[in-house]
Amino acid sequence: PPSLPPPPSLSLMPLPPRPNLGGKVAIVTGASRGIGRECALALARAGCAVVVAAKSATPQPTLPGTIYTVADEIKALGGDALPVVLDLRDENACIACVSKTIETYGRVDVLVNNASALWWHSITETPTKKYDLIQSINARGAFIMTRECLPHMYANGYGRVICMGPPIPTGHDNAYRAYAGKTAYYMSKCGMTMVALGAAAEGEKMAAKAKASEKKNKVMKASENESQHSPTLGVRHSVGVGGAGASSDDDDATTSVTGNALWPATVVESLASENFQLGEKSGWRKATILADCVVHLCAPRGHPAAVNGAQLIDDEYLRDIGATDEDLIEYRCDPAVEPPRLLAPGAEEGGHGAGGDWDVRRGDVRRVGDDKARSKL
């Protein structure tokens, strides 16, 4: 698909420039609205053909947007989109989604595990049915989608698995407090993070094997060539590592498949934020901050934005690759208000590893009033 010009909102895009993803194919789960929609649009603008995967196939009064409306938005920009109905609780639907992608495009290069269910309640307030729901969508769904995509990524020599999961609480004595009031949720969301880390580790291992095989083949070929041209018949000249025909440690690996987890520092504008009444909109950031991070994480090996096996916070990642405080103003819902970093790990303590020690209950939109009455937000 053609690479599309950036929209005006990307005029303050943090350095380095976003990568050109022309010719690549991305699957984005939960792409019918909110963060998933923004990720799909951003990837399309960067050149990707996008598989818009979500449950919403027909418009609902309380759920604006469907896989078809987002696909139409991408096509209106000149991009290529494939809408696919996907219920992450259904393994067969996950397998069919990836199969349809391969059938249509012949490849899959990027997987954004975005879709998830929210449940911020204590252990004693979590019914088994709710526990099973969030596990099946969040951790299990991300695992199955990643499992189905990885073989195709290995075959193509390129892959990016990005999971919307938090940093796993570790690093200081009070890290365990992050689980208070959201143990079941964190088990499922940190499960998504672990899927990303697993993809990172296994992709790295696959790259090492491919590189070792490539070196061995080059050494054998060089040895055969020397043997053929040797004036001494019957004598085979060996070439060791580092000799003629051997690739250096700086050579690109045959396979480059990475995995990273990505998490917002603040409440992000979405239908969930609205329905669960997560504070005033002036205290939120736009979903484009996560979408821009996703595009940067698809950068090729050696690019300043390329990382592997990282548990990232959106604004910290953008600062690490060159963004300034002024750049980040672009993402505020209210340009005059700096949103509180309520979701950042250890935000109150100025460090990493705690999940934001704040007393907030949410989980059922029909009981938001009751939850708010018992919460600090």
Side-chain angles (χ1 to χ4, degrees), residues 25-47:
V25 177
I27 298 175
V28 182
T29 67
S32 58
R33 62 185 65 88
I35 295 168
R37 170 182 170 273
E38 290 295 344
C39 289
L41 292 173
L43 287 165
R45 292 181 183 115

Side-chain angles (χ1 to χ4, degrees), residues 168-217:
I168 298 171
T170 56
H172 59 79
D173 293 341
N174 295 327
Y176 69 93
R177 292 179 179 170
Y179 297 100
K182 44 187 180 288
T183 299
Y185 179 72
Y186 254 46
M187 289 174 70
S188 68
K189 293 298 288 184
C190 289
M192 294 179 70
T193 298
M194 294 171 111
V195 169
L197 298 181
E202 293 177 15
E204 197 172 79
K205 188 174 182 179
M206 184 68 70
K209 287 183 178 179
K211 191 170 184 178
S213 177
E214 183 181 1
K215 280 187 177 183
K216 182 179 179 180
N217 290 337

Side-chain angles (χ1 to χ4, degrees), residues 2 33 57 136 146 160 168 179-180 195 252 280 288 312:
R33 62 185 65 88
S136 64
T146 302
R160 298 292 181 265
I168 298 171
Y179 297 100
V195 169
D252 286 338
E280 297 296 325
T288 49
L312 304 166

